[in-house]
Amino acid sequence: MPTDKKIFTDSGIEIKAVYDQPVPPNELPGEYPFTRGVQPDMYRGRLWTMRQYAGFSTAEESNLRYHYLLSQGVNGLSVAFDLPTQIGYDSDHPLADGEVGKVGVAIDSLEDMELLFKDIRLDTISSSMTINASGFILLAFYIALAKKQGANLKEITGTIQNDILKEYAARGTYIYPPKASMRIITDIFEWCAREVPKWNTISISGYHIREAGSTAVQEIAFTLSNGKAYVKAALEKGLDINVFGKRLSFFFNAHNNLFEEVAKFRAARRMWAKMMKALGATDPKAMMLRFHTQTGGSTLTAQQPINNIARVTIQALSAVLGGTQSLHTNGYDEALSLPTEEAAGIALRTQQILAFESGAPDTADPLAGSYFIEALTDEVETAALKLVEKIDAMGGSVAAIEQGFMQEEIAKSAYEYQRRIESGEKIIVGVNKFQAADNNPVPVFRIDESIQKIQSDKLKQLKEKRDTEKVNAVLKRLHANAVSGENLMPAVVEAVENYCTLGEIADELRKVFGEYK
């Protein structure tokens, strides 16, 4: 018997009982506007890069996990840094107390970077580093290490997240005010185009916007608006959109609503291609939206954690069907702690099963032509464009963030989502329905509290053996470049090569730029 019950996606788009509208004009994968993917044959030519986000405790401990992951078939590393590293404090700083090595690896100097990648050639892997406010320093550590290994910098590949706007809007690990932060980012664009041309200079991140509570529509609207802001800042600096545009990448979340997520990825590609064309790009490669996906951390439940394996599988499948370029799958235990080695292994095997057993990669954009997917792609795009137009009317992302628009929209969506869970309108298995007395307790991964002392002792020894006179000279040069407006990256690389610490470099620029409050 027919029902008149209305069903909506998590973004509030109504889903019809049946879709019977004709599909839009014929498009091919690898062709503008890239709705169907950025490669003509997608995964038939090359599978997505399988990454596992890892980093904890000390560089030595994380190095052991990287070697394990590489031995299990990972072909790209994704580095998690601890909170002090993310906000530019050395491990012996008072504000680092209690946080060293907790949510990622502690990196204070080039010495730590050398230990992090011990016996791993940087010219044989692609590395993604989730680092923003201090991303320029970590990039300098990485490049300095690659030089020490004798690598050809023109061939080094990887990504720094380097997306500061979403920090102001959703995440909070900023250091400097917006204007100074945007200057650092465009310095990175300019320097990398010359020195490390295959490096992705920014990963414009919707992931953390979604984790903060946004809908799928808000995720791509806010992320692409931030992307426009970075492009405009680079254009104002006189950079060539057809050069730096090829090195922009994106980082999206994958949640449980399979079809809305696939539609989101397809819509985002189409929107970005049109945006870049309107901003002056003429090279198709500069119009391509290339993206990394991570499965949704906020969707994982502490109750019945083994259920998270199913959630991660659905989310990973949405990313593959949506045409991701690289993928990280979360461990099932991440609502409880950093992933254990077993959980990380299962997460990687999930990707490998999708790649080699599911058939999902066998043809490009396999859901193309589905009445539902095509209609939903259009509706997600229409709803996201309305938000982009609002942000444009405010003067762009920086103005929208300064006015609190993005933050308020995300907060409202997060509140509404939680209200629906608590009322029972939205069912979360094992949480508000199908609960169990025994919630499948699992072993959790714990970080030793001695890590801070270990890192502090290493810092003390480093400062005793390095050339203090050189350290002071290169920091003075960095300060002068910051004041004059000269590109900062050569001075930062010189500073790390002389074993200046992350905190010393960040502090030198705090003296010039101040801190964002």
Side-chain angles (χ1 to χ4, degrees):
M1 186 174 177
T3 176
D4 58 0
K5 180 184 176 184
K6 289 191 173 184
I7 296 175
F8 298 87
T9 71
D10 290 337
S11 293
I13 296 168
E14 186 175 352
I15 300 174
K16 300 175 189 175
V18 175
Y19 286 80
D20 57 1
Q21 298 301 309
V23 298
N26 187 37
E27 291 178 8
L28 291 173
E31 293 183 7
Y32 179 89
F34 309 109
T35 313
R36 300 192 58 197
V38 294
Q39 300 295 338
D41 59 355
M42 284 307 292
Y43 305 128
R44 287 168 73 104
R46 179 187 172 188
L47 285 172
W48 63 91
T49 301
M50 297 182 195
R51 298 189 189 278
Q52 285 306 115
Y53 189 47
F56 56 89
S57 183
T58 61
E60 296 94 328
E61 287 289 323
S62 293
N63 176 262
L64 293 173
R65 177 67 64 90
Y66 294 159
H67 279 286
Y68 166 74
L69 290 170
L70 289 166
S71 75
Q72 295 301 301
V74 156
N75 48 14
L77 295 176
S78 186
V79 185
F81 298 97
D82 72 356
L83 195 56
T85 303
Q86 291 181 48
I87 53 178
Y89 292 124
D90 288 334
S91 296
D92 59 359
H93 194 284
L95 291 178
D97 194 37
E99 292 294 338
V100 176
K102 288 291 177 68
V103 298
V105 62
I107 299 293
D108 294 317
S109 70
L110 177 57
E111 196 173 69
D112 284 331
M113 191 63 96
E114 290 165 353
L115 293 167
L116 185 68
F117 289 102
K118 186 181 178 186
D119 298 325
I120 299 172
R121 289 281 311 183
L122 300 189
D123 53 6
T124 63
I125 58 161
S126 166
S127 298
S128 174
M129 295 189 281
T130 302
I131 193 79
N132 298 285
S134 55
F136 66 105
I137 307 172
L138 271 298
L139 173 61
F141 285 150
Y142 196 89
I143 296 304
L145 176 58
K147 285 167 75 175
K148 286 190 78 170
Q149 290 184 351
N152 179 357
L153 296 189
K154 304 292 184 191
E155 298 299 320
I156 291 288
T157 62
T159 306
I160 43 170
Q161 192 167 104
N162 197 30
D163 174 6
I164 202 64
L165 291 178
K166 67 94 177 47
E167 296 295 334
Y168 301 122
R171 192 162 173 261
T173 61
Y174 41 70
I175 301 174
Y176 312 111
K179 189 176 178 183
S181 295
M182 293 296 276
R183 179 254 176 106
I184 292 169
I185 286 168
T186 54
D187 278 1
I188 292 168
F189 287 179
E190 182 180 54
W191 184 80
C192 285
R194 185 173 64 248
E195 302 294 334
V196 274
K198 292 188 176 181
W199 190 268
N200 296 323
T201 50
I202 193 167
S203 177
I204 306 156
S205 175
Y207 185 85
H208 303 99
I209 290 169
R210 192 69 177 280
E211 289 292 284
S214 82
T215 64
V217 164
Q218 289 170 332
E219 179 188 352
I220 61 169
F222 297 163
T223 305
L224 299 188
S225 290
N226 289 348
K228 278 175 75 174
Y230 294 125
V231 171
K232 286 181 175 179
L235 289 171
E236 284 168 14
K237 193 162 184 170
L239 304 185
D240 185 346
I241 193 170
N242 288 318
V243 175
F244 74 79
K246 296 174 189 175
R247 300 268 56 95
L248 305 177
S249 66
F250 288 80
F251 174 24
F252 290 124
N253 209 316
H255 275 216
N256 292 325
N257 193 318
L258 178 71
F259 299 110
E260 183 177 41
E261 294 300 299
V262 174
K264 176 191 79 178
F265 298 132
R266 298 173 91 246
R269 256 194 309 270
R270 187 158 72 200
M271 288 170 67
W272 185 246
K274 292 175 181 176
M275 284 179 182
M276 287 295 276
K277 193 171 188 178
L279 288 164
T282 54
D283 188 329
K285 288 188 176 178
M287 303 177 205
M288 290 179 180
L289 183 147
R290 296 165 300 114
F291 67 99
H292 169 70
T293 310
Q294 182 174 339
T295 56
S298 62
T299 68
L300 304 181
T301 65
Q303 302 93 327
Q304 301 176 31
I306 300 300
N307 294 347
N308 293 328
I309 297 174
R311 292 185 178 101
V312 168
T313 304
I314 292 166
Q315 294 162 10
L317 179 61
S318 79
V320 171
L321 294 175
T324 194
Q325 276 60 67
S326 70
L327 178 60
H328 161 74
T329 33
N330 287 333
Y332 67 83
D333 54 359
E334 288 188 53
L336 300 165
S337 70
L338 290 170
T340 60
E341 193 168 286
E342 181 202 41
I346 291 170
L348 174 60
R349 294 291 180 253
T350 301
Q351 291 202 51
Q352 291 166 337
I353 290 166
L354 283 175
F356 300 109
E357 297 185 30
S358 75
D362 292 350
T363 187
D365 195 19
L367 295 184
S370 155
Y371 295 149
F372 179 34
I373 284 295
E374 297 295 356
L376 195 53
T377 300
D378 291 346
E379 290 189 72
V380 168
E381 180 183 21
T382 299
L385 281 173
K386 283 181 184 173
L387 280 172
V388 171
E389 285 162 8
K390 272 190 184 179
I391 291 165
D392 286 344
M394 291 177 188
S397 275
V398 175
I401 289 165
E402 287 174 345
Q403 292 172 42
F405 172 73
M406 288 191 193
Q407 299 93 311
E408 191 175 327
E409 290 293 304
I410 293 167
K412 284 193 288 192
S413 294
Y415 173 81
E416 175 59 18
Y417 187 77
Q418 189 59 32
R419 184 200 65 75
R420 290 176 61 217
I421 292 173
E422 290 178 10
S423 70
E425 293 170 54
K426 176 78 179 172
I427 292 170
I428 306 295
V429 173
V431 175
N432 63 356
K433 199 163 187 179
F434 313 115
Q435 295 102 325
D438 179 0
N439 276 315
N440 305 85
V442 296
V444 295
F445 189 84
R446 302 206 182 278
I447 300 297
D448 195 315
E449 292 295 335
S450 67
I451 298 307
Q452 186 161 5
K453 185 176 186 311
I454 292 169
Q455 283 297 113
S456 297
D457 288 347
K458 279 163 64 179
L459 274 167
K460 186 181 177 186
Q461 291 165 17
L462 174 73
K463 289 176 181 179
E464 285 171 353
K465 68 186 179 186
R466 69 187 184 178
D467 187 328
T468 306
E469 200 172 296
K470 273 190 177 177
V471 166
N472 292 335
V474 294
L475 288 175
K476 189 176 178 182
R477 193 148 46 245
L478 174 63
H479 187 105
N481 283 16
V483 171
S484 70
E486 193 174 333
N487 193 300
L488 291 168
M489 285 306 298
V492 176
V493 172
E494 184 183 23
V496 306
E497 287 178 330
N498 283 285
Y499 291 91
C500 294
T501 70
L502 172 126
E504 288 169 338
I505 295 166
D507 282 348
E508 202 60 47
L509 296 183
R510 281 183 176 99
K511 293 174 190 174
V512 180
F513 301 141
E515 289 189 273
Y516 182 73
K517 302 294 183 186

